[in-house]
Amino acid sequence: MAHNYSWAGPIMWYSYKDRGDSTSDTEDWFGLVGPNGEHKMAYDTYQNIATQDGGTQSGTLAAEASAPALAATEQATFTGVSYTGDQGANTIIGNDLNNTISGGGGDDTIKGGSGNDKLWGGSGDDIFNFSDISSMGRDTIMDFQKGDKIDLSGIDADSNVSGAQDFNFIGSSWLAKAGDLGFYQDKTNGMTHIQGDTNGDGKYDLSIVVQGVHTFAASDFIF
């Protein structure tokens, strides 16, 4: 809506965190996160809008053609927003657009790249690879199933220590220190959040959305 008004400048959210002092005062509940720091639906929506097109609107995007299906074991970096693999063990790497990637059959490796991507592994034991927190967007794994893995081995889990550190899986406990990695179920909206803290401030620096309510274990990850 704001882009339709020539006079509209920067837009800021009213408040970051709910005060939560009163159930009758609506202004106590205008935050993106709840009183205990839990992320509300508005948090993800706001982040998606704020980072769309790099946070700016530069006119109508050119039409993007869908790429053809990959051959077995082929690797591709594509320019379209939609890509589907075949029945082989494909490696599919997205670009900086908001990609929709489907591995098809076989044991695929899928990496969304930057942008807010939707990732389907398809049948087979698939690996969803995330290796760069600074450039990854807000990705959603649409069909995680038993046998699939989330590969975080390329991420330094503790930026306070020299060298590359692995994440420490803490289940559904709250993030408390650098290297913590947890999962948090949103049963109301039917999704699960994978979140990791890499600097020890108790807030997530890594966030991946998984469609469906899942109970994750350390064995679901590659560190």
Side-chain angles (χ1 to χ4, degrees):
M1 292 175 61
H3 283 310
N4 292 327
Y5 298 104
S6 60
W7 48 263
I11 297 175
M12 295 173 287
W13 194 259
Y14 178 76
S15 57
Y16 176 70
K17 186 176 181 180
D18 291 340
R19 293 196 297 268
D21 298 327
S22 170
T23 57
S24 61
D25 186 349
T26 57
E27 291 197 11
D28 277 12
W29 307 96
F30 282 171
L32 297 175
V33 301
N36 298 318
E38 66 275 18
H39 291 173
K40 298 161 66 175
M41 286 187 67
Y43 186 101
D44 295 333
T45 302
Y46 182 84
Q47 185 177 54
N48 285 334
I49 293 173
T51 59
Q52 182 176 326
D53 301 329
T56 63
Q57 179 170 335
S58 56
T60 303
L61 296 175
E64 296 148 349
S66 296
L70 284 173
T73 70
E74 182 180 353
Q75 175 172 315
T77 300
F78 58 90
T79 56
V81 296
S82 179
Y83 216 117
T84 301
D86 61 9
Q87 298 302 307
N90 301 299
T91 297
I92 307 177
I93 304 173
N95 59 10
D96 58 356
L97 300 176
N98 295 333
N99 301 301
T100 298
I101 301 175
S102 178
D107 300 339
D108 306 306
T109 299
I110 297 173
K111 183 175 182 179
S114 56
N116 303 320
D117 307 308
K118 293 186 177 180
L119 312 175
W120 275 268
S123 60
D125 296 337
D126 304 305
I127 296 175
F128 299 93
N129 180 271
F130 303 90
S131 60
D132 188 351
I133 291 178
S134 63
S135 66
M136 66 180 285
R138 188 72 169 173
D139 292 350
T140 302
I141 300 174
M142 304 299 295
D143 65 343
F144 189 90
Q145 56 191 353
K146 184 177 181 180
D148 292 345
K149 302 284 186 181
I150 298 175
D151 186 355
L152 305 177
S153 61
I155 296 176
D156 180 11
D158 188 348
S159 60
N160 300 315
V161 180
S162 61
Q165 312 299 317
D166 294 337
F167 279 105
N168 174 44
F169 183 72
I170 60 171
S172 58
S173 300
W174 288 109
L175 302 175
K177 59 182 182 297
D180 282 353
L181 180 79
F183 74 94
Y184 310 99
Q185 298 173 339
D186 181 355
K187 295 182 179 180
T188 300
N189 298 293
M191 62 183 63
T192 306
H193 298 268
I194 304 295
Q195 297 179 346
D197 180 2
T198 62
N199 59 17
D201 63 357
K203 302 176 183 178
Y204 74 76
D205 304 294
L206 163 73
S207 183
I208 303 165
V209 178
V210 183
Q211 194 69 29
V213 177
H214 298 269
T215 300
F216 284 95
S219 57
D220 294 316
F221 299 89
I222 301 174
F223 298 130

